[in-house]
Amino acid sequence: MAQATGERKENKMGVMSIDKLLITMSLPMMISMLVQALYNIVDSIFVSRINEHALRAVSLAFPIQSLMIAVAVGTAVGINAFLSKTLGQKLYDKANTIAANGVFLEAASALVFALVGIFVSRPFFVSQTDIRQVQEYGVTYLTICCCAGFGIFLQICFERILQSTGKTFYTMITQGVGAVVNLILDPILIFGYFGLPEMGVAGAAAATVTGQIVAAVLAIFFNWKCNREIRLSLRGFRPDWQLIGQIYKVGAPSIVVQAIGSVMTYGMNLILAAFGAAQTVFGVYFKLQSFIFMPIFGLNNGMVPIIAYNYGAGHRERVIRTMKSSILFAVCIMLAGLLAMELFPAQLLGFFNATQELLDIGVPALRTICLSFCFAGYCIVVGSVFQALGNGVYSMVVSIARQLCVLLPVAYLLSLSGNVNLIWWAFPIAEFMSLGMSTYFLIKINRDIIRHIGETPGQSA
């Protein structure tokens, strides 16, 4: 049952000026995601110092690790949007129930992946490589990451609960501390410093899950101590399957959207296999572009609860203003990234000790791929608007069409020319298609939802 409106102070998401609100909520997330991007690169550098087989094993583990994150984040996106909308409607008891069901879903997902780690790790690696050492490294690494994966699920869940009430500063702390713990422990556990045993790949996995568990504990503490709008209690808890369905209505498309990225990466690597260092260039590009895209994702994490909250509260103009400001910020960030890759491709590749072959393939690759940045910022933000308004299936359709129906087929057709430089044009071509589809769905959702916000007292859950 909802409490009276006057019982609680209006959340800042309903009253603060939009630009200030968007910056204060997004900036901590943008910083923490940049830290995460840095961690991913440094982590790979440490593992590569064991030997090439260790680095290959960790790389081959990526699809399952990516799927874990996709399930954790996608579920949390559904929790976040549903919570923010419900809080905007002042349905505080319902919000508490949603949060409890969200924690249940993340814990159940962690259990599923623990079973994957125990029973699937070995056949997964055997299917990818015949090299025994790579298999053993990989099974060790993936088993630890999956069996202790409850840290990443709980971390993401409780961080998104904080975000749903506008407390993104605390999520910057949790993610930052988790990443720093990981970075500190990596060399210590891998190489056995300070009298500890040399654990090798197992040390890398142990450092990863320890950082995640520390971040999860911090996120739980901040919710208990600082989040007055959500009172989480699991006493006498029973799953509410109707609420769970509402969470996955938004969350499931997000899971699919993130999971198909692994399929696209795998397909591109198959296409590029015949072009020498092209696979390496593709991998380097992904590390570089994370420094550009991560701030956009941080912006989205701040934007989604603002839109969802004001949608629930019936504030149409605040929804529109948030959307416009987010698109403007995202486009500016992407243009800065485009300029960096167009003007300094060789210098960027130099961070990875690029050989001449890597430079010959990589310089034109970066300059071509980054043309897609002209449209990407707009498309990413609009896709998150769909999720915030409860229509995540639109972003799922656009992502599937861009990556699987356009990018991979176009890349394959261009590869038949035998000219690797032509393959990279698949990225701007696919992004241009995404621009058209995203705009079409935005027009549709404006007609069906946005223009009607506030016409009736509160939108239905």
Side-chain angles (χ1 to χ4, degrees):
M1 183 176 67
Q3 287 94 336
T5 302
E7 290 183 10
R8 300 200 185 197
K9 182 180 178 181
E10 177 72 27
N11 188 282
K12 66 180 181 180
M13 290 187 289
V15 294
M16 186 181 290
S17 67
I18 292 299
D19 287 346
K20 180 180 179 181
L21 177 63
L22 189 60
I23 291 172
T24 56
M25 289 188 61
S26 299
L27 190 58
M29 294 305 305
M30 294 166 74
I31 294 173
S32 63
M33 287 196 163
L34 283 172
V35 171
Q36 292 291 317
L38 177 63
Y39 144 70
N40 288 332
I41 291 177
V42 177
D43 197 45
S44 296
I45 292 174
F46 283 129
V47 171
S48 68
R49 292 180 180 177
I50 300 174
N51 58 48
E52 183 185 348
H53 287 166
L55 181 59
R56 185 183 304 181
V58 172
S59 299
L60 291 177
F62 173 77
I64 288 184
Q65 285 186 293
S66 179
L67 185 60
M68 286 179 64
I69 295 173
V71 172
V73 171
T75 303
V77 165
I79 297 168
N80 189 352
F82 197 11
L83 266 180
S84 296
K85 179 182 175 183
T86 304
L87 289 171
Q89 295 171 318
K90 308 297 186 291
L91 303 176
Y92 298 109
D93 289 340
K94 183 178 180 180
N96 294 333
T97 305
I98 293 169
N101 278 271
V103 173
F104 164 76
L105 291 177
E106 296 284 14
S109 299
L111 177 60
V112 170
F113 277 96
L115 296 175
V116 169
I118 295 171
F119 296 109
V120 179
S121 292
R122 185 165 296 279
F124 175 73
F125 275 93
V126 170
S127 70
Q128 295 184 96
T129 179
D130 296 327
I131 302 174
R132 186 61 180 268
Q133 189 178 37
V134 174
Q135 293 175 2
E136 296 306 318
Y137 279 147
V139 171
T140 299
Y141 181 83
L142 192 57
T143 300
I144 294 173
C145 287
C146 288
C147 290
F150 62 89
I152 189 64
F153 283 95
L154 294 181
Q155 174 192 347
I156 291 173
C157 176
F158 283 96
E159 284 176 351
R160 290 304 176 100
I161 292 175
L162 287 168
Q163 290 173 26
S164 69
T165 57
K167 297 172 177 62
T168 56
F169 175 77
Y170 297 108
T171 63
M172 179 183 70
I173 297 176
T174 59
Q175 291 190 7
V177 170
V180 170
V181 168
N182 194 339
L183 290 173
I184 293 173
L185 290 181
D186 257 332
I188 294 174
L189 298 182
I190 291 173
F191 305 114
Y193 296 145
F194 304 113
L196 294 175
E198 182 177 338
M199 298 174 65
V201 168
T208 296
V209 298
T210 301
Q212 293 167 350
I213 292 171
V214 169
V217 171
L218 274 177
I220 293 170
F221 172 78
F222 286 138
N223 271 283
W224 171 67
K225 195 73 175 177
C226 308
N227 201 347
R228 304 299 181 188
E229 292 168 274
I230 300 293
R231 288 305 183 192
L232 184 64
S233 175
L234 299 178
R235 183 177 298 176
F237 170 78
R238 290 184 179 181
D240 187 322
W241 300 109
Q242 184 177 3
L243 292 182
I244 288 173
Q246 290 290 325
I247 290 172
Y248 277 126
K249 180 181 178 182
V250 175
S254 180
I255 293 172
V256 173
V257 166
Q258 296 186 68
I260 63 175
S262 297
V263 177
M264 183 277 291
T265 302
Y266 176 74
M268 280 298 297
N269 280 327
L270 291 181
I271 293 170
L272 296 170
F275 295 92
Q279 285 181 319
T280 305
V281 168
F282 186 54
V284 168
Y285 160 73
F286 261 96
K287 294 182 184 298
L288 291 172
Q289 63 98 32
S290 67
F291 284 94
I292 303 167
F293 281 78
M294 284 297 186
I296 307 294
F297 297 144
L299 175 69
N300 280 352
N301 286 340
M303 177 196 72
V304 167
I306 298 173
I307 289 182
Y309 183 95
N310 286 284
Y311 172 39
H315 300 155
R316 181 174 65 246
E317 290 304 317
R318 290 182 65 81
V319 169
I320 295 173
R321 175 65 176 162
T322 302
M323 183 175 64
K324 289 181 176 179
S325 293
S326 299
I327 290 173
L328 177 61
F329 292 152
V331 169
C332 289
I333 293 171
M334 297 305 290
L335 288 177
L338 185 151
L339 288 174
M341 285 200 178
E342 287 289 349
L343 297 176
F344 310 108
Q347 290 83 350
L348 291 172
L349 291 168
F351 288 118
F352 299 87
N353 296 318
T355 63
Q356 188 58 50
E357 182 187 11
L358 198 69
L359 289 171
D360 291 341
I361 297 176
V363 169
L366 294 188
R367 284 178 169 161
T368 301
I369 296 174
C370 74
L371 295 176
S372 63
F373 294 178
C374 297
F375 318 120
Y378 167 86
C379 294
I380 292 171
V381 170
V382 169
S384 293
V385 169
F386 299 155
Q387 294 173 356
L389 296 176
N391 286 265
V393 68
Y394 289 169
S395 59
M396 179 184 70
V397 170
V398 173
S399 185
I400 291 174
R402 182 178 67 85
Q403 297 188 79
L404 302 185
C405 299
V406 178
L407 198 156
L408 285 180
V410 170
Y412 172 72
L413 291 175
L414 293 174
S415 72
L416 299 179
S417 68
N419 184 351
V420 67
N421 291 333
L422 293 179
I423 297 176
W424 312 120
W425 284 98
F427 287 88
I429 290 171
E431 204 64 56
F432 185 73
M433 180 282 306
S434 178
L435 173 69
M437 289 190 67
S438 298
T439 300
Y440 169 78
F441 284 129
L442 181 60
I443 293 171
K444 187 175 188 302
I445 207 169
N446 178 63
R447 183 184 67 238
D448 297 342
I449 295 178
I450 295 176
R451 68 169 55 176
H452 300 296
I453 294 175
E455 290 183 357
T456 56
Q459 282 67 41
S460 60

